[in-house]
Amino acid sequence: MHGKKSAVWLLAGISSSFALLENAPQNENGEAIVVNMCTFPVFFASVGDSGSMSALPPGGIYREQFKLRYVGEDYSGGAKYGGISIMLSPNQSIAAATNKQEAFLQSTITQFEYTYHPIIPPGLWYDISNVNGYVRDTDDGWDGVLPWPFQKQGLFLEGTGSDCATIICPSGNPYGNSTCVQAYTHSTDDWASHGCRNNNSIVLTLCKEVSSLAGIIDVENHSNEAQKLHGCS
């Protein structure tokens, strides 16, 4: 979504190699998962056409099954589908604001974005975007002076399947220009978008440059086993 354009762009220019990966049924959709490994709360909102802000405490996990967002018809009458943005801010001044929602929306934001499409393979596209992560809303706003929101701590995005590309934004400023080179900095950085089958889950770990995937899977397996032991299946 990037704040400057519609997330429908994610369906354009897809690789022909995805044709080998048929979409999974919608009831097998995976999840978008955010793991807060920061030492502070992270403020977030899952936004399609609208969304309200919440706080994710240190050690907290937010998850949602991939949503289908219908945005109308194209010129030929076919259905168009847009994206979802999980907007994230580490700005601790939000907690003390009189209007927290407004303060959140005015903060610099890192976005975990995805689009689920029920027909076009492989069914899921995703990225990390810092287009709205800089104080100056201009193309030359990222000049090495002002960092993106999680630059100090870093982040790690991965999928549960081998067909899902990993995105790593290292902590600090190793490239000397205050950007994550694997994320969107400008709205035209479409090389930063990735696709994989929609029955995978995508896990974003904040404030760590290492995987949380094993822990998430262990928790899910333990929960499933507990349900079976109690006769819930």
Side-chain angles (χ1 to χ4, degrees):
M1 292 175 70
H2 311 307
K4 296 181 180 178
K5 60 178 181 177
S6 168
V8 177
W9 69 268
L10 287 171
L11 304 181
I14 60 173
S15 170
S16 60
S17 63
F18 288 148
L20 300 176
L21 299 172
E22 293 184 358
N23 294 28
Q26 185 171 353
N27 63 354
E28 295 181 11
N29 271 4
E31 295 178 304
I33 301 171
V34 180
V35 181
N36 183 12
M37 296 299 291
C38 307
T39 58
F40 46 81
V42 171
F43 299 93
F44 76 97
S46 178
V47 178
D49 299 307
S50 62
S52 58
M53 186 209 73
S54 300
L56 188 65
I61 298 174
Y62 169 77
R63 59 203 313 157
E64 66 179 43
Q65 190 172 38
F66 296 131
K67 302 174 183 177
L68 183 65
R69 180 177 169 232
Y70 174 75
V71 295
E73 296 182 350
D74 60 22
Y75 66 93
S76 64
K80 292 195 300 184
Y81 299 97
I84 302 294
S85 171
I86 301 178
M87 305 171 66
L88 302 150
S89 177
N91 186 349
Q92 299 303 294
S93 67
I94 294 171
T98 302
N99 187 329
K100 294 178 175 57
Q101 180 81 2
E102 182 178 353
F104 171 74
L105 293 175
Q106 291 179 350
S107 294
T108 52
I109 297 289
T110 289
Q111 298 180 78
F112 170 16
E113 303 178 310
Y114 71 84
T115 296
Y116 161 60
H117 196 291
I119 300 173
I120 298 179
L124 177 69
W125 290 263
Y126 62 94
D127 67 80
I128 292 293
S129 173
N130 287 318
V131 170
N132 299 109
Y134 301 93
V135 172
R136 286 168 287 183
D137 191 23
T138 61
D139 283 344
D140 62 353
W142 54 279
D143 58 3
V145 177
L146 302 172
W148 56 278
F150 293 92
Q151 180 173 301
K152 183 178 179 180
Q153 302 85 9
L155 59 80
F156 191 100
L157 184 76
E158 63 192 320
T160 55
S162 60
D163 57 318
C164 303
T166 296
I167 299 172
I168 303 174
C169 293
S171 60
N173 191 14
Y175 304 106
N177 62 355
S178 290
T179 66
C180 173
V181 297
Q182 294 187 25
Y184 276 82
T185 295
H186 300 293
S187 60
T188 54
D189 293 340
D190 290 349
W191 47 263
S193 175
H194 305 279
C196 65
R197 204 160 181 249
N198 55 292
N199 60 348
N200 292 293
S201 290
I202 307 295
V203 182
L204 170 62
T205 303
L206 299 172
C207 297
K208 291 287 184 182
E209 298 168 47
V210 296
S211 172
S212 291
L213 196 58
I216 293 293
I217 292 174
D218 287 346
V219 168
E220 289 178 337
N221 288 343
H222 178 76
S223 175
N224 291 338
E225 289 302 317
Q227 288 180 0
K228 291 177 182 177
L229 287 173
H230 288 86
C232 301
S233 57

